[in-house]
Amino acid sequence: MTVTDLLASKMAHEDRCYMNQVAEAVKDVVDMAATDKRLVLGAMPSAEFLGEEADSVALCLLLENKSDDVLISIQHKLVEAYCWENDIPLLKVDSEDKVRKILSSHTDPNNNEPDDLSCILVKNADKMSSSESMLADFFDYIIKNEIEPFPVITLPE
């Protein structure tokens, strides 16, 4: 193994560690926001909320679109464009099941689980947590370095 290979391996390890920290931060933010009732769940409710109160949105999470459903794809593109246009940090995550698992402890027993978790808005908190600050920094890094394609965050199990 060459020195270049060792450096590349070390950088890859550091990148994986950082992305694991970002994934944990997403989990923490969703969990805290659910506890504080600061979430808007679903593409249509999110679109409506963005149209009314975009200034009160701290973060938009979109599921990686693996669906062949054109309607879902269009909804995601519209929400994504609206977030870009209004300077709302937007991150993509890998799994609806993992998001459901994070939210499962916050589900009201009298209410059904939400059908659509393809888009989640996190409303502003009174005070930004360290996890929210980390995600904002991560988003800024992506934008400043023009990282393409947009990274998909693999949430922890």
Side-chain angles (χ1 to χ4, degrees):
M1 186 175 265
T2 66
V3 172
T4 305
D5 292 339
L6 285 172
L7 288 174
S9 174
K10 183 176 190 268
M11 287 175 59
H13 175 72
E14 289 172 358
D15 288 347
R16 278 193 308 276
C17 289
Y18 181 68
M19 288 307 290
N20 288 341
Q21 291 173 347
V22 169
E24 284 294 331
V26 169
K27 182 180 175 185
D28 290 345
V29 167
V30 170
D31 187 45
M32 287 185 294
T35 298
D36 298 343
K37 306 219 183 304
R38 296 186 292 119
L39 294 179
V40 178
L41 306 173
M44 286 306 294
S46 294
E48 290 170 2
F49 190 84
L50 285 169
E52 297 168 5
E53 299 184 53
D55 291 341
S56 65
V57 176
L59 174 68
C60 177
L61 295 174
L62 285 177
L63 285 178
E64 180 181 29
N65 189 6
K66 296 179 182 176
S67 173
D68 291 334
D69 188 338
V70 174
L71 181 60
I72 290 174
S73 181
I74 291 170
Q75 288 173 338
H76 277 214
K77 287 293 180 196
L78 290 173
V79 168
E80 190 173 343
Y82 196 89
C83 289
W84 285 111
E85 195 65 30
N86 289 279
D87 297 322
I88 297 170
L90 180 131
L91 300 175
K92 294 184 179 183
V93 296
D94 69 327
S95 169
E96 182 174 349
D97 292 337
K98 292 176 185 176
V99 172
R100 246 179 234 293
K101 187 175 178 184
I102 295 168
L103 294 174
S104 66
S105 63
H106 302 284
T107 304
D108 185 356
N110 298 328
N111 292 341
N112 295 329
E113 281 189 9
D115 292 331
D116 179 16
L117 293 176
S118 65
C119 180
I120 299 173
L121 298 181
V122 178
K123 299 177 195 174
N124 291 325
D126 293 333
K127 182 180 177 197
M128 186 181 278
S129 71
S130 60
S131 293
E132 289 170 317
S133 179
M134 179 184 196
L135 295 180
D137 291 345
F138 176 68
F139 179 77
D140 288 344
Y141 177 81
I142 291 169
I143 299 304
K144 286 178 185 166
N145 291 288
E146 299 178 3
I147 295 174
E148 292 282 336
F150 212 79
V152 176
I153 299 165
T154 302
L155 294 173
E157 293 293 329

